[in-house]
Structures are given as C-alpha cells and as structure tokens.
Amino acid sequence: MAHQSDLIAEDIAAYLKTQEQKQILRFITCGSVDDGKSTLIGRLLWDSKMVFEDQLAALEVDSKKVGTQGEEIDYALLLDGLQAEREQGITIDVAYRYFSTDKRKFIVADTPGHEQYTRNMVTGASTAEVAIILIDARKGVLTQSRRHSYLTSLVGIRKIVLAINKMDLVDYAEDRYQEIIAEYKEFAAELGFEEICCIPISALKGDNIIKASERTPWYQGPTLMHHLEHVEITDNALSKPFRMRVQWVNRPNLDFRGFSGTIASGIVKPGDTVVVPSSGQTSKVARIVTMDGDLEEAVAGQAITITLEDEIDISRGDMLCCPEKRPSFADQFEAHVVWMHEDALLPGRSYLIKAGSATAPAQVSALKHKVNVNTLQREPGKTLELNEVGICNISLTKPISFDPYQENRSTGNFILIDRFTNATVGAGMIDFALRRATNIHWQSIDINKQSRAEMNDQQPKVLWFTGLSGAGKSTIANLVEKKLHSLGKRTYLLDGDNVRHGLNRDLGFTDADRVENIRRIAETARLFVDAGMIVLTSFISPFKSERRLARELLEEGEFVEIFVNTPLEICEVRDPKGLYKKARAGELPNFTGIDSDYEPPENPEIEVEAGTRSADDIAEEIVAKII
Amino acid sequence: MKIEMTHLRQLEAESIHIIREVAAEFENPVMLYSIGKDSAVMLHLAKKAFYPSKIPFPLMHVDTTWKFREMIEFREKMRKEYDFDLLVYTNQEGASQGINPFDHGSALYTDIMKTEGLKQGLDKYKFDAAFGGARRDEEKSRAKERIFSFRSENHRWDPKSQRPELWNLYNAKVKPGESIRSFPLSNWTELDIWQYIYLEEIPIVPLYYAKVRPVVERDGMLILIDDDRIKLAPGEEAQMKSVRFRTLGCYPLTAAVESDAATLPEIIQEMLLTRTSERQGRLIDHDSAGSMEKKKQEGYF
C-alpha cells in the first residue's frame, strides 16, 4: 500500500500515531461510457497499492476472459461488481471505493455516465466534496460533460477537477488540451464553481496520476493524486449557525433527559442558548454527553447527546438551533427536485417527505418548470419523469425547520417517499421558504365548523363514492341525497356534471390531471364540510393515494369511503354512456378498467355489491349506516 | 476557525448516526452479532450511540454449532461487559439432521445452518430491521450495497430494486413482513477497523492474535483442530504452528495464517505489509464467480 512502508516496518506505533490525524475526502467521478472512468479508479487503487495478490490473480484471469485491453490488464474489471454488469460491460449503479494514502482516506462514488442515470449521479454526488469530470481528449466537451457539470453544481459541489483523459491518443498535444479547457471554462462560468483544476492524464498509461509525466513537459500543475491529497475541503459547516436535528430522545431513567443527534452545522458549548423553532421555546445547554466523557465543545459532524437546563417539549424531528440565526420554519417552500422513479411525479399526490429526522406528508403543489439537464433551458411540464429535474412548490401538512440548500447543505435537503410502494422516488434541495405559508395564518373566526354543524343539526361529513364507470355510483348517490333531504339533512352532491364543466374544465384524463381533479374535489368537499354540510361525491377516483389525500384533509370520522363494487363485466354490459365501447375501440385512452388501473379500497367504511341488488335497497342501507 | 474531525472520528460519528436512525425508525430492530472484529466495533458504536441508556435492542447470534470455542467464551464475556440482551438461534432442524461442513460441503452447510438459520431467527422474532457488520471494501458485489438494504418478505435482496441513498437520509419505510438490513460500517475499511480497535482498546477474540495452535493442512489451507469433530484423513497430520485468524467464522471453513503477530500493532503491521485480502481466508467465496452476489440474493448477509 502507498504508506510509509519503512516506518510501518520499523516503528509501527509511531506510524499509527501519524495515521490518527488523517482526514476523509469524498469525491465523485463523472464521465461518459467510454471516457475511462473505471480505468481511472482502478488505476488509483492500483497505484496506491490497494489491490491484493489474490485480487490481482483474479484480475489477470478476468482480463483475458472479458477484458477489453487485449493482453494488458483491464483495470476497469477491478470495479464492476455485479455479474450482470460485467457481462454487459457497463456499470449500472453507484458503487463506493476506498483507498488511502498517508495524507487522506478517500471515498470514491463511482457512477455511470449514460443518459438515463442522472439519478445515480445525483445520489453519488450528494455526499461528495470534489467532482472529477472526465473528458476524452479526442472527443472534447460533450453534452454529457455539460450534464455532469450541471448536476454537480446542483448538489452543491464547488471544487472540480477537469481530467482530460486519453492524452496518449492525441499524442500529448498541448494545444488540444488548452482548446478543451477553454471550451469547458466558458460553459462552466455560470455554474458557480469555486475552483476548476485541469490535469492532462492517461488513466491507462498512468500519466500524471501519481507521478508527473515526462510526456507532458508543458504541464506544470499537480498530479491527480497530489491534488486530491491537498485540495482544501471547503466544508465550512463549522462557520455556520448551530443546527442539530434531534434523532432520538435519550431517557435511561427519570433523572436524565437527553437529545441525541448529529450536529449539522456550527459549534455548541455548555451554557449556549438554543431554540426549538417548532415551539419557539428556548433553553440553555447543560451538558454535552458522550460515552468518553462530557465535552467542552462539539462541532459539525459530531454525534452527541445534549441535555438542557429546562424541561421543554422536544421530540424526534425537532431542530435545536442558534437563537440569533434561526432557520426557516414553514410548511411551504420552493425546491429543486430530481425525480428518481419510473412512476412520474404527479403534482397534488401525497408523498412522504423526509428532511433529516423530520418526516411529514407532503405534496407538490405546483411544478413551476423543468430544467433540461443538457441545455440548462427551462421547459414547461405537468409531470416529472425519471431522471428529470424540476423546480417545484412543495406544501407539507405541518411546518418543519430548514435552511436554503445553497446556504447549508446539511439542513436544506430532503427525499420524497411513495406512500404505497415505500420507494424513494425523489430527492430535493430547498431554494427558499414560501412566505405565504408563514404570513397567511388561518384566521381564527368565532363562527366555526361546530357552530355551523349545530345550526344545521347534523354531523357534517363526506360520503365518497368510488368505483368503476357504470358501477352505479351516481344513481346510488342521487338516491341517498334524496333520502337525506327528506330527513331534513342539508346536503350537496359533487359529481362529474357540476365539477368537470366548471371548476375542473381545464383538466383532461392523464394520470396527472386525474390526480389534480380529485385534489380539487377533495378541497371543495372539505370547504362544504366546514360549512356544516353533508357532501356526496361521485367520481371513479381510481387511485388509493388520492382517496387517502381526501381522507387526510378531514377529521376522524368525517370521511366515509363507499366502495360501489360492481364487476367490470357488468359495468361494460351496462355501458350507460357508451364509453366502454369507445375505449375498447381505442378511441378513449386512459379509460379506467380498460387501459388505466382501478385500485380498489382496502378498508372502505361501506362496501356495496351493486351488480345484482336494486339501487334503492343499497341507498336505504347506506342511509341507515350513516345517520 | 478550523477544527477538523479525523477520519476515525468521522466514521464513528456517521455510524452512530445510522445506528440511532434505525433505533428511532423501526419498531423491532436487532443487531446481528457474529463475535468477530467488525461485530466488536459495531457493538462498541451501539454502546456509544445510546449512552447513558442501555442498547435499546437485542443482539442475535446465529450459532451454527461449528463456531470456534473461544468465540463462544468471548461472547459470554462481552454479554456481561457491555450489558446487552442476547438471543442465540440455531437451525434446530439442520442440527438434528447432523448437517455439517465436512460431510455436506461448504455450500449446502452454509445455506442450511447460516443463511436458513438467519432467516428462521429473523422470522421467529419478527424483526423489521437487522444490523450487520459488513463493509463495502470486503468484496466487489458489496461496493454497491446500500446502508439501508431492502429485503422482501422472504428476505431476498434484489440488486435492481434498492432505494437510492442521498446525503445522510435513509428511507426506513417497510410493509409488514418486509425488512431492512442496515450496515453502519459500510464506509469502513479493514485498516480503519483495526486502527479503531487500537485507538479505543476494544476487546476482540484472542484467535486474532498469533499463538501456537494445533492445525492441519487441507487443500492448501490451515484448519484449526478446535475439537474432536474434525477427522484427519489418511496422510493428514496435526501440526503445532504459530497461527492467527484474519477473519472468524465456522472453524472448519476458516483458514488460519501463519504469523507471529501477537499484539495489535503487530497485526496492523502485518496487514499493511501483506499482499492477500482478508476474504481469502473464507472458503465460501471460492465456490464460483459472483458467489457472494448469489448468496446475498438468497438472504445471506
């Protein structure tokens, strides 16, 4: 290994002492498919002697079998982990590599370069401090190079190494090298990098990787390894205001109540005043507790437990902060979102947001525009597809503490989780809080829902009918409304006729529009409930997540989901509006039950079999259950 | 102002963050305790993560009945020293059928006593998260492993359906029956582990230190004669050699290396000057190309 071998052999204790002072540098390598990225990392591992003899033996065998370098060793094979990838000859996921020198320990995020894997690059770059952008000297700055640079800048990396690779194939020509640098710097000017270090290399031949190459006498700068060992890690998290999200409340007994978490930024000392934005309460730090003894001071990156002088209400997800420079505390913000899943982002759909240790239901209230990652141009869009980047307004069901990502990388990030599949579907970087959220407080008015409900002498609620087209929803809902009316109840029926033609006439039938359609209906229903009414809604409402959204807008017991369960075959025979016929003929795309899914409710409050019984019977049954 | 954390302190803090995250997000987590050096570090970090509270989840050891005797002694010692709840699980069906590494081969034996035993243990207590001490630098297919690795209801790992992990945000959402395997030591290397053990004076099984021990040479590997269940074939003979182990598992499947390194600095010195990787001593990896990847898909750690 590239360590001080003499010292290791002669005085291991002295060697270990020197090793305790090392730091970690995390970097990412970005390049297109054939830029030689895997070869470069393989070379770094090789030259820092991180390759063992047994691995070398395996490498020699593999190089002959599947290598692309003829009789020479194919360094890339050191890296490609999964069998399927090795056979396809491409890397398809983020992999992490480790090597160390006497100066630093390095963690390399190795990510693929193809078009469709923006997701992986953003993932790998999220923890990196430096990015190596690889350019093939023969090809110059490609579309992919621009994309990689934009994404690098998006996730807040400020230090770039521009590695002009394959210099051996352009005869180590300085003018070619200069030409590429000039082109790159012009394009990168708007990306806000602090430092771009350009190095001419050949990963395959080893030029300027560890040792300065004799074949580039015109180049006076550092070798790649030297630069990686000495580049200043610009993590200025220490100079930022104190922030710590509480992960876990530490209560071993009644006398000890500590708040455990990792310091996101700044410094904390006993005696410092801290504030909890969710309650506005303040207290002073009593102790900083660790198993190795109490600390006089703790800094960004440390995992600690804090006790306070006063008993204030704090739980997981709360943030302890410096009171002079508080974070934003809001339930709406604008953010850059990178979409990471095959199922597109649908504005209005309810997702879970995880920001630090805080988790809350959230929805994208507006997709303002998309960013074309190749041209950096703004583009309009209604949904975000896999690997697309969009600027979104996001609204949460409760406020959380955060900072703009460009000001604080640790407290301005989040992920979005699909509430049914639990997949991580998006990643976001907060731009700023939307002040609307803090300024438009709910006006507390003296006349409230309860007083209206009492005046109406009824329990306001929503009867949410769901089922296939032709299941009988509207027929039954109409009958239920008539019966309620004759009992003296104040009701209102929302259905396709009065909603699609007015409030929602701008919406079509794509998945995104269906989600928005239901969201507006749910919000409207909520206003009617607030007004003390019994609301009946009659819509196919095929997706569980939107029905759940409607449920969550209301209080416990106010949402009655009624599943009108009629087999598809019967609906198709009934076909009251001739829609199934059209859909079967291919004239009506996205028709539920034909080429768009219906997700049946799992636990509806009421389920009625409407294939065989009379609508009047069913309506009687529903009225009996709800009154 | 410049107070930078050293690499070991940074790794330590990041691992504690992961361990706390699992404890806070899951209802019923468990820490898989293999008794080896990585487990020793993981246990130490768990103790630090929750201090002054006790570790708020149990540890589970999947006992194949073929572990080195000194490992079991060490386990009992640690249980007292670190004050944790310990569950020991053995695949009783396999044990009563007498499944062993000598007669049934390493592949079948590992499948039944380790992989199957692990799955049974996890199912029995309905754990929704299990910590493992695996590191990404151990083997190529591990380099892409997530810190929160998603497992289906039948414990399968599907490399294509793993969740992206950004920053230090880990998605802990699972449906009933599904689970997460969490690897807090993902970013540690073998050298980091040894340096940390040295720095923190963490106790490890004495088998890691060189000592004269009875061994037999078999297929080019030195196997410890740990008890009388190992039968010497004609031509084989027991020899006394100064040996130690770079990795610990089931004694018939774990090769010793000849060594005189009897202290931690000597072990680290030997490791830095050596030219073979630690998994070389694990017979399970040699079965076929991509064998670790296949085993992981089946539910092995």
Side-chain angles (χ1 to χ4, degrees), chain B residues 220-240:
Chain B
M221 308 266 183
L222 291 175
I223 303 295
L224 184 76
I225 302 175
D226 199 45
D227 57 35
D228 56 13
R229 290 181 294 180
I230 179 167
K231 304 281 181 255
L232 297 189
E236 285 183 340
E237 58 175 315
Q239 313 168 50
M240 294 303 286

Side-chain angles (χ1 to χ4, degrees), chain B residues 162-188:
Chain B
Q162 295 300 313
R163 299 164 176 179
E165 283 179 347
L166 297 102
W167 301 289
N168 60 354
L169 299 178
Y170 305 105
N171 176 351
K173 298 291 168 200
V174 291
K175 292 178 184 164
E178 295 170 346
S179 63
I180 293 288
R181 302 253 175 111
S182 172
F183 302 108
L185 304 180
S186 288
N187 287 327
W188 296 59

Side-chain angles (χ1 to χ4, degrees), chain A residues 379-567:
Chain A
E379 291 174 358
K382 282 197 157 182
T383 65
L384 266 192
E385 305 286 338
L386 175 63
N387 293 315
E388 287 188 331
V389 178
I391 315 295
C392 305
N393 285 351
I394 295 189
S395 67
L396 286 66
T397 56
K398 61 170 193 194
I400 59 165
S401 302
F402 59 85
D403 293 290
Y405 187 75
Q406 296 297 339
E407 284 174 26
N408 194 329
R409 254 179 116 179
S410 314
T411 53
N413 57 41
F414 62 87
I415 54 171
L416 292 171
I417 299 169
D418 186 281
R419 302 187 66 177
F420 286 96
T421 64
N422 290 328
T424 301
V425 290
M429 287 138 283
I430 300 173
D431 298 327
F432 45 79
L434 291 169
R435 293 296 157 202
R436 244 189 1 255
T438 39
N439 293 339
I440 305 185
H441 283 292
W442 289 106
Q443 293 184 42
S444 67
I445 14 184
D446 296 323
I447 308 295
N448 57 20
K449 178 159 68 181
Q450 195 190 343
S451 46
R452 292 187 206 100
E454 281 165 9
M455 175 79 91
N456 286 348
D457 190 25
Q458 63 188 25
Q459 195 62 45
K461 56 182 68 173
V462 174
L463 308 181
W464 189 282
F465 291 82
T466 173
L468 293 167
S469 176
K473 296 182 299 297
S474 293
T475 311
I476 296 167
N478 269 306
L479 286 167
V480 171
E481 189 180 24
K482 275 185 194 157
K483 288 176 198 290
L484 289 173
H485 189 78
S486 65
L487 290 169
K489 303 293 174 192
R490 288 158 202 258
T491 59
Y492 192 77
L493 176 68
L494 290 168
D495 66 11
D497 286 341
N498 58 20
V499 174
R500 276 279 179 195
H501 294 149
L503 178 64
N504 289 356
R505 82 176 148 210
D506 56 326
L507 300 176
F509 289 90
T510 63
D511 281 356
D513 281 357
R514 280 165 181 264
V515 170
E516 177 59 15
N517 180 43
I518 296 302
R519 189 191 69 80
R520 291 186 197 171
I521 290 160
E523 290 284 359
T524 309
R526 178 169 71 152
L527 293 176
F528 273 103
V529 168
D530 199 50
M533 307 287 279
I534 295 174
V535 190
L536 301 91
T537 70
S538 169
F539 300 91
I540 299 172
S541 46
F543 304 129
K544 280 182 204 165
S545 46
E546 281 68 50
R547 295 194 301 264
R548 166 140 75 165
L549 170 93
R551 183 184 290 276
E552 285 176 355
L553 286 173
L554 297 158
E555 285 172 33
E556 190 78 26
E558 285 180 350
F559 185 85
V560 181
E561 189 172 25
I562 302 173
F563 179 26
V564 183
N565 189 358
T566 307

Side-chain angles (χ1 to χ4, degrees), chain A residues 1 3 8-10 12 15-16 19-24 26 49 51-55 62 77-83 85-86 91-98 105 107 119 122-123 126-127 232 238-239 247-248 250-252 256 260-262 267 289-292 297 299-305 316 340 352 354-356 359 405 413-415 417 420-424 427-429, chain B residues 1-14 16-18 20-21 23-25 44 47-54 56 82 136-138 140-141 143-146 157 159-160 162-175 178 186-192 195 198-200 246 264-266 268-269 271-280 289-290 293-294:
Chain A
M1 300 193 183
H3 296 279
I8 294 169
E10 284 157 23
I12 184 70
Y15 170 79
L16 287 171
Q19 292 306 296
E20 283 169 20
Q21 302 310 318
K22 278 203 285 197
Q23 271 136 28
I24 298 180
R26 286 178 152 94
K49 303 195 177 59
V51 180
F52 294 110
E53 273 172 9
D54 53 327
Q55 292 171 333
D62 285 356
L77 291 178
L78 274 173
L79 308 181
D80 296 344
L82 303 182
Q83 257 185 327
E85 297 175 28
R86 288 172 64 172
T91 318
I92 56 171
D93 206 329
V94 190
Y96 295 89
R97 317 289 173 191
Y98 304 84
K105 169 189 168 96
I107 301 180
R119 168 180 63 182
V122 169
T123 303
S126 69
T127 51
E232 196 175 331
L238 282 179
S239 57
Q247 267 188 296
W248 193 74
N250 198 333
R251 290 224 79 172
F256 187 96
S260 301
T262 302
I267 295 176
V289 180
T290 77
M291 196 170 93
D292 304 310
E297 175 179 89
V299 302
Q302 281 185 281
I304 54 166
T305 297
R316 177 174 161 84
M340 307 218 144
L352 278 183
K354 184 167 184 187
T359 303
Y405 187 75
N413 57 41
F414 62 87
I415 54 171
I417 299 169
F420 286 96
T421 64
N422 290 328
T424 301
M429 287 138 283
Chain B
M1 184 163 33
K2 207 160 174 84
I3 318 162
E4 285 180 350
M5 290 169 75
T6 64
H7 77 291
L8 290 177
R9 291 300 167 214
Q10 196 176 333
L11 289 171
E12 175 189 69
E14 290 174 6
I16 288 174
H17 177 84
I18 294 162
R20 286 174 174 167
E21 203 59 14
E25 288 257 14
H44 190 74
K47 184 87 180 160
K48 283 196 169 195
F50 304 107
Y51 176 87
S53 290
K54 210 182 134 158
Y82 278 85
R136 288 189 183 129
D137 80 323
E138 275 178 71
K140 273 198 277 190
S141 80
K144 304 185 181 199
E145 182 60 285
R146 302 298 195 271
W157 175 75
K160 300 254 190 278
Q162 295 300 313
R163 299 164 176 179
E165 283 179 347
L166 297 102
W167 301 289
N168 60 354
L169 299 178
Y170 305 105
N171 176 351
K173 298 291 168 200
V174 291
K175 292 178 184 164
E178 295 170 346
S186 288
N187 287 327
W188 296 59
T189 62
E190 188 184 10
L191 179 58
D192 297 328
Q195 284 185 349
Y198 178 65
L199 186 71
E200 294 277 310
R246 290 180 65 185
L264 267 179
E266 283 167 10
I268 299 173
Q269 185 175 37
M271 197 210 118
L272 288 170
L273 301 174
T274 192
R275 298 295 296 152
T276 53
S277 69
E278 67 186 315
R279 292 201 77 88
Q280 180 77 358
E293 186 187 337
K294 279 185 205 143

Side-chain angles (χ1 to χ4, degrees), chain A residues 94 187 189 220 277 295 365 392 481:
Chain A
V94 190
F187 143 79
Q220 306 301 325
L295 303 181
S365 48
C392 305
E481 189 180 24

Side-chain angles (χ1 to χ4, degrees), chain A residues 28-289:
Chain A
I28 178 172
T29 51
C30 333
S32 305
V33 183
D34 298 317
D35 285 346
K37 197 159 35 70
S38 295
T39 307
L40 174 68
I41 301 170
R43 168 66 76 171
L44 285 170
L45 299 186
W46 178 264
D47 284 351
S48 59
K49 303 195 177 59
M50 293 300 287
V51 180
F52 294 110
E53 273 172 9
D54 53 327
Q55 292 171 333
L56 173 63
L59 181 64
E60 279 172 354
V61 173
D62 285 356
S63 291
K64 288 197 183 113
K65 205 160 62 185
V66 283
T68 55
Q69 299 299 330
E71 283 301 301
E72 289 194 60
I73 286 181
D74 188 350
Y75 295 106
L77 291 178
L78 274 173
L79 308 181
D80 296 344
L82 303 182
Q83 257 185 327
E85 297 175 28
R86 288 172 64 172
E87 280 149 25
Q88 288 169 28
I90 49 163
T91 318
I92 56 171
D93 206 329
V94 190
Y96 295 89
R97 317 289 173 191
Y98 304 84
F99 66 97
S100 66
T101 66
D102 287 327
K103 303 276 188 319
R104 277 181 176 161
K105 169 189 168 96
F106 297 96
I107 301 180
V108 192
D110 177 17
T111 62
H114 344 288
E115 186 95 37
Q116 63 271 43
Y117 291 113
T118 292
R119 168 180 63 182
N120 296 335
M121 217 208 96
V122 169
T123 303
S126 69
T127 51
E129 291 131 326
V130 170
I132 299 180
I133 306 229
L134 271 161
I135 306 259
D136 184 329
R138 295 169 303 171
K139 296 179 188 158
V141 180
L142 300 176
T143 304
Q144 288 95 314
S145 325
R146 294 167 197 272
R147 179 171 69 241
H148 297 148
S149 304
Y150 168 67
L151 294 173
T152 299
S153 121
L154 179 66
V155 296
I157 295 176
R158 293 286 165 261
K159 305 238 166 180
I160 297 293
V161 178
L162 190 70
I164 316 291
N165 192 22
K166 305 200 181 178
M167 287 302 293
D168 51 318
L169 300 180
V170 294
D171 296 327
Y172 300 95
E174 184 184 8
D175 52 351
R176 179 62 184 144
Y177 168 74
Q178 296 294 357
E179 189 185 351
I180 292 171
I181 292 177
E183 187 186 351
Y184 184 83
K185 285 194 170 165
E186 191 189 333
F187 143 79
E190 58 183 295
L191 294 177
F193 297 132
E194 278 170 19
E195 181 189 307
I196 301 174
C197 173
C198 308
I199 309 177
I201 63 166
S202 165
L204 193 65
K205 309 283 181 197
D207 295 294
N208 293 324
I209 305 291
I210 307 283
K211 276 195 252 159
S213 172
E214 289 165 6
R215 290 174 282 208
T216 53
W218 42 267
Y219 174 75
Q220 306 301 325
T223 63
L224 180 60
M225 186 68 97
H226 184 273
H227 181 71
L228 292 174
E229 283 185 326
H230 294 91
V231 60
E232 196 175 331
I233 305 173
T234 50
D235 186 19
N236 43 4
L238 282 179
S239 57
K240 292 185 176 152
F242 172 69
R243 307 271 188 261
M244 185 183 100
R245 280 202 174 99
V246 174
Q247 267 188 296
W248 193 74
V249 179
N250 198 333
R251 290 224 79 172
N253 54 57
L254 291 175
D255 301 326
F256 187 96
R257 183 175 161 84
F259 305 101
S260 301
T262 302
I263 302 178
S265 63
I267 295 176
V268 69
K269 297 186 182 80
D272 283 358
T273 303
V274 290
V275 64
V276 184
S278 59
S279 63
Q281 288 182 295
T282 60
S283 181
K284 280 190 173 153
V285 174
R287 294 170 59 198
I288 302 171
V289 180

